[in-house]
């Protein structure tokens, strides 16, 4: 998940954050994944080793819910139908559940790399 992001740049500037918030909401609604019952973190590609490890660390309930959402969205896609409005994911339900775990794994990896590259020198 080491793609470039303007998130930190925008969040640090309140005026820019307030200006971008309606655009971000519109874009998330226009993307259409919520109409299929998916959450934003369901769209993260699984082919990355970090994401695979994060999926293994998910609690069983959250992992089950993720698979259920993916299968239901696949069925809706095949049938060329959207979920009824009461079953669609709302903005309040669309909370990140996988991204925090991915960030934690990346931080652990950076720390491990720093510790492995450390050299100890003896004082004379």
């Amino acid at each position: 998940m080491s793609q470039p992001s303007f998130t930190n740049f925008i969040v640090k500037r309140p005026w820019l954050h307030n200006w971008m918030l309606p655009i971000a909401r519109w874009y998330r609604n226009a993307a259409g994944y919520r109409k299929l019952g998916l959450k934003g973190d369901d769209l993260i590609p699984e082919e990355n080793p970090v994401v695979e490890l994060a999926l293994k660390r998910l609690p069983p309930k959250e992992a089950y819910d993720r698979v259920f959402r993916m299968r239901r969205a696949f069925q809706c896609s095949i049938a060329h139908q959207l979920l009824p409005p009461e079953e669609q994911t709302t903005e309040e339900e669309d909370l990140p559940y996988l991204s925090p775990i991915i960030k934690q794994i990346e931080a652990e990896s950076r720390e491990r790399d720093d510790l492995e590259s450390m050299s100890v020198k003896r004082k004379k």
Side-chain angles (χ1 to χ4, degrees), residues 16-36:
L16 188 57
H17 178 71
N18 292 336
W19 185 75
M20 292 293 287
L21 199 57
I23 296 170
R25 284 191 181 129
W26 172 84
Y27 182 77
R28 282 192 304 266
N29 287 330
Y33 65 88
R34 289 182 179 165
K35 294 177 183 175
L36 295 173

Side-chain angles (χ1 to χ4, degrees), residues 38-98:
L38 295 173
K39 291 184 176 183
D41 281 357
D42 293 335
L43 305 176
I44 298 174
E46 300 177 7
E47 289 81 23
N48 187 337
V50 174
V51 177
E52 289 178 4
L53 184 58
L55 289 172
K56 289 178 185 176
R57 290 188 184 182
L58 274 178
K61 170 85 168 94
E62 193 64 50
Y64 177 81
D65 290 345
R66 181 177 194 277
V67 170
F68 176 78
R69 287 190 303 270
M70 299 286 268
R71 287 183 178 177
R72 183 174 59 176
F74 185 69
Q75 289 294 327
C76 288
S77 177
I78 289 175
H80 297 284
Q81 295 178 347
L82 298 176
L83 289 174
E86 61 272 2
E87 292 183 26
Q88 293 178 3
T89 305
T90 61
E91 188 171 348
E92 294 80 28
E93 296 171 343
D94 192 7
L95 299 173
Y97 65 94
L98 192 60

